[in-house]
Amino acid sequence: MTDAPLRGAAGDTSAAPTRRQAYEARLKRRSNMIAAGSTIAVVLAVVVLVPLAPGWEAVQRSFFNGEVFAATFPGLLNAFMLDVAIFLWCAPAIAILGLLIALCRDVRAPALFPLRMFGALYTDIFRGLPVILVIYLVGFGVPGLGLPRPWNSPYIWGSLALILVYAAYVAEVIRSGIDSIHQSQRSAAASLGLSEADTMRFVVLPQAIRNVAPANMNLFIALQKDVALLSFIGPVEIFRQAGVYKSLMANFTPYVGAALIFLAITIPATRYADYLLHKQRRRQR
Amino acid sequence: MRGKLELTNVWKSFGDHQVCRGVDLSVGAGQMVCLIGASGSGKSTLLRCMNLLEPIDEGTIHLDGQDISEPGLDAQPIRTRIGIVFQSYNLFPHMTAAQNVMLAPRRVRGKTPAELAAPVQALFARFGLADRMDHYPDQLSGGQQQRVAIIRALAMSPEIMLFDEITSALDPELVGEVLDVLRQLRHEGMTMVLATHEMSFARELADTVCFLDGGRIIEQGPPEAIFAAPREARTRAFLERVL
Amino acid sequence: MRLLATTAAALCLTATGALAHGDDECAVGKTLEDGVLTIATGNPAFYPWVLNDAPESGEGFEAAVAYAIAAEMGFDADAVTWVRTSFDEAIQPGPKNFDFNIQQYSITPEREQMVDFSLPYYTSAMAVLTTEAVVEAGAEPTLESLRGLLWGADANTTAVPMLTEIVGPERDAMLYGDNVDVTAAMQAGQIDAALFDLPTALYLAAVVVEGGTILGQFPADRSDNPDQFGLLMEEGNPLKECVDHAIEHLTESGRLAEIEAEWLQAATGVPVIQ
Ligand SMILES: Nc1ncnc2c1ncn2[C@@H]1O[C@H](COP(=O)(O)OP(=O)(O)O)[C@@H](O)[C@H]1O
Ligand SMILES: [Mg+2]
């Protein structure tokens, strides 16, 4: 009630803008114009200059071939469903395993020291190995021990390789989240008589996980891309499907199609992660 | 009446740094003891030792006759009998005020939310926060947050309450509302130990005032004696600086 | 097979005098480097196409064919240099670092839109590589039996479309980046069978895959889509004419058949899949 007249004076822009608002509006218009101008200049340069390059026609025929694109895109989209499926069953497993490993690394009881050591060793090893190497070793190696079908499926062991590697990264991220929770929160919980486990579960973890949500989100975007590595041990997902088309038609356009499909998923996801991060920064101020 | 706390020759060091050097302190049931002293003199550490957040190196702490400083003793049930409120509130930011208050009774005492609804509601009402129960800490003022922290400790029905400079982080105009809460508790007969810089408050309400310096209580007595006629030169110098 | 038959017929008809070198002048000024013929092959190059991954030795079917073609075009063995390319390097746009590329490229109309192929120098039967264990479990060289198997193939080969068009497996095939991964998967029991050109399949069965065996072959001269290997060249390469000429000569003179007999195992005894 009392601040109504105030709001009318300062907040209502439809009335005469304040000097400051007018200044800021001018400034904004100017920077928008500069941004638009330079964008147009760059786009023009690319559109006009690149086709002038002597090899452009050949590049266009072999990378941006409309016919090949139209012929292969539906098949690529179909193959991408396998990527999505692999992602969908790996992601929850990664979240759970990553959390468990992070918790292993945080145990304080001396009796549980081996667990702590296991956690450290685990993250060191799996963060230190290229994903593709783990996929080969686990995906071909374990079934090579003579497991019967269907237990030797590359889907199982390839997914496990992804889960093992990504859980190590997620564990590190969660651990950094746990470390970021101030000791005073644990003190406050302990002073109320909460057990270590309850303190972790109700006080530390919820905050830690929320703090690292953007970082984890980025990991899961990376996972969506790395799913394609499973193709090396057999599954015909989008990357492999594109490779087959490429080989049949001696044309790289299918790879461009696959790239577009990946971007259609990863760009919005990346934007969303950035938005989360931004929101979180603002909250913490 | 319960809530008697007895410290005998308490020593505590962090590495080579001796923070408590032979503290003797007796807090009778229903009494209010104020710890005063310069920053770094060991007030917070002493309070944290009292509810076993820090293990002590030497000496004993008795609560109602039980030695709670025995090494290896399960600290958890003891801590539920001694509440502590910190300078920086330390509310759980991801929970509403009511959730902050109910967490420990639910997990430690095994109470259900239904059982807790009425008593928690009453606690919030008693300290003037009935309409703030569903707010998150960052939607509350400093004074309100500190009162929620006090309610959170009280919800475990402790025998003793420890307060560590709970008004130091507050804007001056918010200090009063928190001190009023302490006053209220004092009149209800709660045993309390406070580390404080609010000298006039200590003077008004304390049974005993202890002056800490370098990890030792170098002078203690009723507030009139300490404030009006300090015996020790250091106490006098400290009081001259802060009054 | 038909090609071989015609070759044999041609050999009978033409006098041995026609065996002389082809058109020595044809290639002049058309190679990357004057007086030098730059030939590309795979990295690594596999048996029996190239022995010991050393094409310079001229040992192995493709190495021998390459030198024979070079000779037809008027290049001595010293005038031949070798480079290595992957499949992708061979088809990427832009100038090539080879005059022609020989690594079992199957000639297909789709590929021909992007690159040039020579006349075929080999017509391959496709064969089914599998293991004794799978055969014992009841796999037979009939289409019906094949459909029920779990298939694998090298993703870069024309085995992939053949698999879907001719076999039509019940379960999705697994595809791999090279022979080595296909055989690893077979050894891990993840696939029952894989489709390769017959020479490769014979080699893998005999040397690489433990308990490997050939279940059967698809006839080389399948009417609809025979698998023929050609030299790959940059589209519009003026050398194509000379290369084709050389291959024509080698075919007609029977030299090509001799090389094939020398380096590729006889595929006798491999049952034909109906
Ligand atoms: N956890 C700790 N580790 C090391 N030193 C500490 C720790 N807590 C307190 N101290 C030291 O103990 C001394 C007393 O601190 P404190 O009890 O906080 O004093 P006060 O509350 O009277 O200001 C200070 O010198 C401080 O640096
Ligand atoms: Mg302090």
Side-chain angles (χ1 to χ4, degrees):
Chain A
M1 276 294 131
T2 47
D3 59 1
L6 254 178
R7 202 181 292 150
D12 190 359
T13 44
S14 65
T18 61
R19 262 174 77 196
R20 185 180 171 73
Q21 282 168 339
Y23 170 73
E24 277 173 359
R26 243 186 353 261
L27 212 63
K28 196 166 166 200
R29 218 171 314 134
R30 223 175 84 106
S31 60
N32 280 349
M33 258 161 67
I34 294 176
S38 61
T39 308
I40 290 171
V42 169
V43 170
L44 267 183
V46 170
V47 170
V48 173
L49 293 182
V50 169
L52 289 182
W56 167 245
E57 213 171 303
V59 168
Q60 191 186 19
R61 236 157 47 87
S62 113
F63 283 87
F64 305 102
N65 190 317
E67 264 169 56
V68 174
F69 187 87
T72 57
F73 195 76
L76 292 176
L77 213 52
N78 200 23
F80 188 63
M81 290 305 119
L82 180 57
D83 292 77
V84 173
I86 294 172
F87 174 85
L88 287 180
W89 70 61
C90 284
I94 288 168
I96 292 167
L97 184 61
L99 181 61
L100 289 179
I101 300 289
L103 291 177
C104 278
R105 296 203 66 177
D106 196 68
V107 292
R108 280 142 195 239
L112 297 180
F113 179 75
L115 216 56
R116 222 182 144 120
M117 185 125 129
F118 163 77
L121 209 64
Y122 179 93
T123 46
D124 281 359
I125 289 177
F126 284 103
R127 285 190 314 153
L129 289 173
V131 188
I132 184 64
L133 208 69
V134 180
I135 288 178
Y136 263 113
L137 291 179
V138 176
F140 279 151
V142 178
L145 298 176
L147 288 173
R149 260 186 225 150
W151 302 111
N152 66 358
S153 156
Y155 290 101
I156 296 179
W157 296 99
S159 301
L160 184 73
L162 280 180
I163 291 167
L164 288 174
V165 171
Y166 271 85
Y169 285 99
V170 168
E172 270 310 287
V173 165
I174 294 181
R175 193 174 77 107
S176 77
I178 290 174
D179 286 350
S180 77
I181 303 306
H182 199 266
Q183 184 58 35
S184 61
Q185 287 282 310
R186 288 182 191 251
S187 284
S191 76
L192 291 166
L194 286 172
S195 65
E196 290 254 345
D198 276 355
T199 301
M200 183 51 81
R201 180 169 155 207
F202 293 101
V203 176
V204 178
L205 266 189
Q207 298 185 59
I209 287 177
R210 203 168 58 170
N211 284 356
V212 297
N216 272 332
M217 183 89 189
N218 281 326
L219 277 181
F220 282 104
I221 292 167
L223 170 68
Q224 178 66 75
K225 294 181 289 177
D226 275 357
V227 164
L229 293 175
L230 241 57
S231 65
F232 281 78
I233 57 168
V236 184
E237 51 64 68
I238 186 168
F239 174 70
R240 177 61 80 209
Q241 187 62 59
V244 169
Y245 287 141
K246 168 215 70 185
S247 161
L248 290 184
M249 311 195 168
N251 193 299
F252 291 99
T253 307
Y255 281 144
V256 175
L260 289 179
I261 292 173
F262 270 112
L263 289 179
I265 296 292
T266 51
I267 288 185
T270 315
R271 289 286 116 227
Y272 183 64
D274 282 358
Y275 162 77
L276 280 185
L277 193 67
H278 181 69
K279 211 172 79 170
Q280 185 171 305
R281 288 233 182 84
R282 265 215 327 241
R283 203 180 57 224
Q284 287 170 346
R285 248 160 312 192
Chain B
M1 187 129 183
R2 300 184 316 154
K4 187 170 145 54
L5 193 68
E6 198 88 41
L7 278 68
T8 324
N9 191 31
V10 168
W11 288 77
K12 169 75 189 172
S13 51
F14 295 110
D16 305 339
H17 184 25
Q18 291 188 327
V19 181
C20 297
R21 303 193 296 159
V23 174
D24 293 305
L25 179 66
S26 171
V27 185
Q31 278 202 333
M32 171 165 155
V33 172
C34 285
L35 307 176
I36 61 171
S39 174
S41 57
K43 305 182 293 293
S44 298
T45 304
L46 194 57
L47 289 175
R48 291 172 65 86
C49 288
M50 286 181 198
N51 84 335
L52 311 184
L53 283 175
E54 299 287 353
I56 61 172
D57 304 331
E58 204 58 68
T60 58
I61 303 174
H62 283 86
L63 175 62
D64 294 328
Q66 181 196 357
D67 182 358
I68 60 170
S69 58
E70 204 175 288
L73 195 75
D74 184 7
Q76 223 181 294
I78 312 279
R79 291 200 191 113
T80 63
R81 296 164 60 190
I82 308 175
I84 186 166
V85 182
F86 304 92
Q87 177 176 344
S88 50
Y89 331 138
N90 297 359
L91 291 180
F92 307 133
H94 59 300
M95 299 181 185
T96 63
Q99 287 167 340
N100 262 278
V101 170
M102 291 205 257
L103 177 64
R106 286 177 62 185
R107 298 301 306 173
V108 181
R109 301 253 195 264
K111 298 253 173 64
T112 65
E115 284 176 283
L116 287 169
V120 166
Q121 177 94 43
L123 269 174
F124 274 89
R126 191 167 128 206
F127 297 106
L129 289 172
D131 56 342
R132 291 289 183 273
M133 287 178 64
D134 296 324
H135 286 57
Y136 283 89
D138 62 2
Q139 299 168 322
L140 299 173
S141 74
Q144 290 168 336
Q145 289 187 57
Q146 196 57 294
R147 282 186 282 157
V148 172
I150 296 171
I151 293 172
R152 183 173 71 175
L154 288 174
M156 292 299 283
S157 324
E159 298 160 33
I160 296 186
M161 286 287 288
L162 312 176
F163 299 93
D164 188 2
E165 299 193 30
I166 61 168
T167 57
S168 300
L170 296 179
D171 291 337
E173 77 269 22
L174 301 178
V175 170
E177 65 188 63
V178 174
L179 291 183
D180 284 343
V181 170
L182 295 181
R183 242 175 230 116
Q184 201 174 329
L185 288 176
R186 171 91 179 102
H187 290 132
E188 289 166 8
M190 172 66 75
T191 311
M192 297 196 278
V193 183
L194 284 76
T196 186
H197 284 300
E198 299 291 334
M199 296 304 160
S200 54
F201 179 78
R203 191 171 203 159
E204 172 196 336
L205 287 174
D207 293 300
T208 308
V209 174
C210 304
F211 175 64
L212 257 80
D213 187 69
R216 266 183 243 257
I217 296 179
I218 62 171
E219 185 167 0
Q220 63 175 305
E224 313 81 65
I226 299 286
F227 288 111
R231 277 172 287 118
E232 301 287 330
R234 298 236 196 118
T235 316
R236 217 172 301 134
F238 172 74
L239 288 174
E240 265 164 29
R241 259 185 288 129
V242 299
L243 285 180
Chain C
M1 287 293 144
R2 188 192 293 156
L3 199 69
L4 292 187
T6 34
T7 314
L11 188 65
C12 295
L13 289 176
T14 46
T16 34
L19 274 174
H21 275 207
D23 190 351
D24 276 13
E25 299 301 304
C26 176
V28 171
K30 295 178 183 168
T31 53
L32 284 181
E33 201 180 324
D34 274 344
V36 175
L37 186 65
T38 311
I39 307 177
T41 188
N43 189 15
F46 288 103
Y47 185 97
W49 310 106
V50 171
L51 299 203
N52 306 318
D53 192 22
E56 307 77 24
S57 66
E59 290 183 298
F61 176 69
E62 286 186 344
V65 167
Y67 278 106
I69 291 172
E72 285 287 331
M73 291 165 65
F75 293 93
D76 290 338
D78 327 346
V80 172
T81 57
W82 288 89
V83 292
R84 305 299 186 115
T85 72
S86 63
F87 180 84
D88 291 10
E89 281 172 287
I91 61 168
Q92 81 189 19
K96 306 279 187 259
N97 65 344
F98 52 80
D99 289 313
F100 62 73
N101 198 324
I102 181 165
Q103 44 178 313
Q104 308 113 60
Y105 286 119
S106 298
I107 302 169
T108 71
E110 292 87 356
R111 288 176 174 178
E112 209 132 29
Q113 296 194 343
M114 301 304 298
V115 290
D116 275 351
F117 285 107
S118 68
L119 293 176
Y121 59 86
Y122 181 68
T123 300
S124 166
M126 280 295 203
V128 178
L129 173 71
T130 184
T131 59
E132 305 279 6
V134 174
V135 176
E136 274 159 34
E140 290 169 11
T142 63
L143 277 180
E144 196 185 344
S145 170
L146 295 184
R147 270 190 202 107
L149 299 179
L150 204 47
W151 281 88
D154 179 338
N156 285 320
T157 66
T158 45
V160 179
M162 259 204 69
L163 203 52
T164 39
E165 281 159 26
I166 297 179
V167 180
E170 285 159 13
R171 284 166 289 179
D172 284 345
M174 298 284 166
L175 301 181
Y176 304 86
D178 60 26
N179 292 354
V180 183
D181 287 353
V182 181
T183 52
M186 187 169 287
Q187 230 122 45
Q190 293 171 329
I191 54 175
D192 295 321
L195 202 56
F196 287 106
D197 58 71
L198 184 56
T200 301
L202 284 169
Y203 163 68
L204 293 176
V207 181
V208 179
V209 178
E210 215 175 295
T213 181
I214 306 289
L215 188 56
Q217 62 173 320
F218 292 97
D221 51 356
R222 293 183 325 276
S223 50
D224 49 340
N225 183 15
D227 210 42
Q228 297 184 314
F229 294 171
L231 307 183
L232 182 149
M233 283 161 285
E234 185 177 357
E235 174 149 70
N237 190 336
L239 208 58
K240 173 172 160 53
E241 190 188 346
C242 321
V243 171
D244 281 350
H245 215 74
I247 292 177
E248 215 164 6
H249 261 254
L250 289 172
T251 310
E252 282 167 9
S253 68
R255 179 79 189 108
L256 201 54
E258 284 171 31
I259 297 174
E260 189 177 318
E262 183 179 0
W263 296 109
L264 298 183
Q265 282 187 50
T268 50
V270 175
V272 171
I273 294 162
Q274 301 307 324

